[in-house]
Amino acid sequence: MTTIAVIGGTGKEGKGLARRWAHAGHDVIIGSRDAARAEAAAGELNAALGAANIRGLGNADAAQAAEVVVLSVPYEAHRATLEMIKDGTQGKVLIDVTAPLDPANKRKAYRVPEGSAGLAAQQFLGDAVRVVSAFQNISYTHLTDVEEDPSCDVLVCGNDKEAKKIVIGLAKDAGMTAFDAGPIENAVVAEGLTAVLININIAFKIKNAGIHITGVPR
């Protein structure tokens, strides 16, 4: 089993992923700018799962203590959070869940100067960190009930094949099917799909639109 730090683990998406991985038996660290808030979220999840394998730490300490680091924060906090965890991510896999949205209109994708949040993370953290972009298109509503089949697929983008295999395995542990979607440059597509799904949610008055890859063996 793996020790996973979910940076932004007090938010809905991060907390949902943390819940799924803890339920699968991984040791999970909730990371937050406020360590006390992280500890409270960890206690809440442990109580809900009847578990004791979740703890809370400040972001920098959480990244340092983990084997795999997951970044699940709004794009507006992306760079500042990367600065906090840069030292702790060196030599590790970082899974970037960030989906940039236009601050003035969350129904629109935001054009990131570097090309995508995943690319921005890779460039900032350096080559010693294996950045993988994934999980942007899974609604938190699918993650809360650990017994639910999310029926949504995960697109995994990154430049390191072994790192992508790790992420595909973690997706499976969380009850999802993941696909290698190519290099980190392709992350812009998966990130942009989040805005598309938001518009579909609004049109149908739902919260759980997702993607499903067809034509491949399951």
Side-chain angles (χ1 to χ4, degrees), residues 89-140:
T89 59
Q90 297 304 304
K92 300 174 183 178
V93 173
L94 178 126
I95 305 172
D96 198 335
V97 187
T98 309
L101 300 171
D102 188 329
N105 184 353
K106 298 298 185 180
R107 296 176 64 172
K108 294 170 60 178
Y110 179 73
R111 190 183 295 270
V112 176
E114 296 87 348
S116 69
L119 262 174
Q122 185 66 81
Q123 291 173 13
F124 179 76
L125 295 174
D127 292 340
V129 181
R130 296 178 289 169
V131 175
V132 179
S133 175
F135 299 108
Q136 292 90 351
N137 309 136
I138 304 298
S139 170
Y140 75 91

Side-chain angles (χ1 to χ4, degrees), residues 71 73-83 96 98 116-118 120-121:
L71 181 60
V73 297
Y75 177 66
E76 292 84 348
H78 190 251
R79 177 58 181 256
T81 308
L82 287 172
E83 290 173 353
D96 198 335
T98 309
S116 69

Side-chain angles (χ1 to χ4, degrees), residues 17-211:
L17 289 169
R19 181 189 298 263
R20 290 264 174 163
W21 285 322
H23 178 69
H26 295 287
D27 290 324
V28 174
I29 306 169
I30 299 293
S32 173
R33 288 175 299 176
D34 183 341
R37 190 178 174 200
E39 290 169 5
E44 174 190 326
L45 288 174
N46 278 325
L49 294 171
N53 55 333
I54 309 170
R55 57 190 170 119
L57 292 171
N59 283 334
D61 290 336
Q64 193 71 52
E67 298 170 87
V68 173
V69 181
V70 180
L71 181 60
S72 179
V73 297
Y75 177 66
E76 292 84 348
H78 190 251
R79 177 58 181 256
T81 308
L82 287 172
E83 290 173 353
M84 284 184 231
I85 65 175
K86 183 174 183 177
D87 290 345
T89 59
Q90 297 304 304
K92 300 174 183 178
V93 173
L94 178 126
I95 305 172
D96 198 335
V97 187
T98 309
L101 300 171
D102 188 329
N105 184 353
K106 298 298 185 180
R107 296 176 64 172
K108 294 170 60 178
Y110 179 73
R111 190 183 295 270
V112 176
E114 296 87 348
S116 69
L119 262 174
Q122 185 66 81
Q123 291 173 13
F124 179 76
L125 295 174
D127 292 340
V129 181
R130 296 178 289 169
V131 175
V132 179
S133 175
F135 299 108
Q136 292 90 351
N137 309 136
I138 304 298
S139 170
Y140 75 91
T141 60
H142 288 303
L143 302 174
T144 302
D145 181 354
V146 294
E147 301 301 331
E148 178 192 343
D149 178 359
S151 297
C152 295
D153 292 331
V154 178
L155 300 178
V156 177
C157 301
N159 294 337
D160 187 288
K161 290 184 178 180
E162 289 304 314
K164 286 190 284 187
K165 286 181 181 178
I166 290 170
V167 177
I168 289 170
L170 289 175
K172 183 177 180 181
D173 291 345
M176 292 170 271
T177 301
F179 294 89
D180 186 335
I184 194 67
E185 286 77 9
N186 291 353
V188 63
V189 178
E191 292 175 12
L193 278 175
T194 301
V196 173
L197 294 172
I198 287 172
N199 280 273
I200 293 171
N201 282 338
I202 292 170
F204 287 90
K205 296 181 172 58
I206 58 175
K207 294 182 179 180
N208 54 5
I211 63 169

